[in-house]
Amino acid sequence: MLRNKLLTLLISLMAGLLGNEQAFARLYDDVIDSGYIRIGVYKDFPPYSWEEQGKPTGLDVDIARHIADKLELDLQLHWITPDEGLEDDLRNNVWRGHYLDKDEDNPLARKNVADVMLRVPYDKAYAYKRDSLGYLINEFVVMMAPYHEERWQVAYDSQRLDSVKTVAVFQYEPVGVEVDTVPAFYFTSALNGRLRDKTRHYVNPRAAFEAMEQGEVAAVMAMRSEIDWLLEQGGNPRFRLAENSFPTMGRQMWDVGIAVRETDRQLGYAVEAVLDDMIRGGQMKQIFERYGVRFSAPSFYQVEQAAQTQAQ
């Protein structure tokens, strides 16, 4: 009798734990029936998503609003604080929830996850990456629907540099980068470390731009959208865009898409259709232009357009 009770309790606890691995996951029908969609965007990350005088703004915020409108749903923004890596962000904000974000009624459950997460690097190799035992690292998440191509960009002070035809110029002039990013690693290791002494680290690209305004650095490297927005905001005619590439850097451009739970592909397909219409109809480009940022269509659309041009 006691054994049966203990066995029943154990089964119940195990079922609860397994059921809560994707706690509060809402399937497509749940989202539609609820009347709202919860879309995840990164916190304090201009020009993509941030708050200005308490009002959410940014490229991804506007994209999220458009998605909600087209699906005839109210929008709830889920603000994402970045963790150590993308895998952590996907776990904490898409399929499981952060371990600190408990539900008071059910201490085993995580209560606050997004239905859809924006600005997720779209890479098939990463999406199907396996661990040392052969298990999929991202088995609970689907990355899909690329809506923008991002790349690295340098802006420089034309009063200090005539041009930036090669990164070798940063052997002699300091460059500002965000700490713990690809540019930070690149400039401290490229050309056998010859750029390391002229590399200055800042908390974000905005701080690096302020340093360029004050003459601390001659250039800044960050994502192109960030550079475009900072140039638009500052309006300083001295600051110009470099056109150089970055030897030995590896991937210098990548697509950005969405992430949904593996169990909720239907919602992902619905959002994908909205994003596709935005790209083809020009609304996506208009949103980017609103923030002074250049829009570059994902590689799929570029290949498609090139094929159509060639056919003509």
Side-chain angles (χ1 to χ4, degrees):
M1 185 71 143
L2 178 60
R3 181 177 178 276
N4 290 340
K5 287 183 178 180
L6 290 174
L7 184 60
T8 301
L9 177 62
L10 179 61
I11 292 173
S12 177
L13 287 172
M14 289 179 65
L17 286 169
L18 292 172
N20 285 319
E21 278 301 300
Q22 298 189 54
F24 292 87
R26 305 193 314 146
L27 301 179
Y28 175 77
D29 290 341
D30 297 328
V31 172
I32 298 302
D33 290 344
S34 73
Y36 73 91
I37 184 170
R38 187 185 296 122
I39 298 182
V41 296
Y42 280 101
K43 186 177 182 180
D44 193 26
F45 192 30
Y48 312 108
S49 44
W50 78 102
E51 285 189 314
E52 195 168 281
Q53 297 180 344
K55 181 181 178 181
T57 188
L59 296 168
D60 286 340
V61 172
D62 287 2
I63 292 169
R65 288 183 177 127
H66 191 93
I67 292 170
D69 287 345
K70 286 299 181 179
L71 296 179
E72 298 182 345
L73 298 169
D74 292 333
L75 172 64
Q76 287 188 7
L77 288 176
H78 171 82
W79 291 102
I80 298 170
T81 300
D83 209 313
E84 292 185 3
L86 178 58
E87 293 167 20
D88 300 309
D89 293 346
L90 293 171
R91 180 184 64 250
N92 293 339
N93 298 281
V94 178
W95 66 267
R96 185 175 182 180
H98 198 280
Y99 71 94
L100 292 177
D101 187 23
K102 301 290 187 179
D103 178 15
E104 294 179 0
D105 297 326
N106 184 357
L108 294 175
R110 277 72 159 156
K111 63 180 179 179
N112 195 17
V113 293
D115 300 313
V116 179
M117 177 177 168
L118 297 184
R119 197 140 300 274
V120 177
Y122 179 80
D123 181 84
K124 286 188 176 180
Y126 176 78
Y128 295 102
K129 183 179 178 183
R130 296 179 180 272
D131 62 20
S132 59
L133 298 177
Y135 294 106
L136 284 171
I137 291 176
N138 300 300
E139 64 174 318
F140 297 116
V141 177
V142 177
M143 285 164 272
M144 60 192 303
Y147 60 89
H148 178 220
E149 182 189 72
E150 191 60 270
R151 64 184 67 190
W152 299 111
Q153 176 73 59
V154 167
Y156 67 95
D157 186 343
S158 62
Q159 288 189 355
R160 296 182 61 171
L161 297 169
D162 293 331
S163 64
V164 182
K165 296 179 180 179
T166 170
V167 294
V169 69
F170 298 119
Q171 296 177 89
Y172 315 105
E173 289 285 353
V175 58
V177 295
E178 183 177 2
V179 66
D180 293 332
T181 60
V182 171
F185 175 78
Y186 178 71
F187 277 111
T188 53
S189 60
L191 301 183
N192 296 319
R194 292 201 298 270
L195 312 180
R196 185 180 298 118
D197 291 342
K198 291 295 184 179
T199 304
R200 306 289 184 266
H201 300 269
Y202 298 91
V203 66
N204 55 46
R206 286 165 285 166
F209 245 69
E210 291 174 5
M212 187 161 63
E213 286 275 9
Q214 296 167 7
E216 294 178 14
V217 296
V220 173
M221 182 176 176
M223 287 185 286
R224 189 173 78 170
S225 298
E226 293 175 308
I227 295 292
D228 284 354
W229 181 76
L230 287 165
L231 288 174
E232 175 76 10
Q233 293 295 302
N236 193 326
R238 296 189 351 243
F239 299 162
R240 299 177 184 175
L241 293 169
E243 298 179 358
N244 61 295
S245 60
F246 308 99
T248 73
M249 188 181 199
R251 176 171 292 188
Q252 299 180 32
M253 58 186 69
W254 62 97
D255 288 344
V256 173
I258 70 171
V260 295
R261 286 173 294 277
E262 196 278 334
T263 55
D264 204 12
R265 291 172 180 264
Q266 187 178 2
L267 177 60
Y269 294 142
V271 173
E272 183 177 48
V274 174
L275 294 171
D276 182 71
D277 286 343
M278 292 176 69
I279 294 170
R280 297 182 188 279
Q283 292 96 339
M284 189 72 74
K285 184 178 180 180
Q286 291 173 6
I287 288 175
F288 277 70
E289 289 176 345
R290 196 178 302 157
Y291 294 89
V293 176
R294 288 168 287 175
F295 172 68
S296 183
S299 54
F300 167 79
Y301 295 92
Q302 296 183 30
V303 171
E304 182 183 68
Q305 186 176 12
Q308 293 174 350
T309 302
Q310 188 175 10
Q312 293 173 355

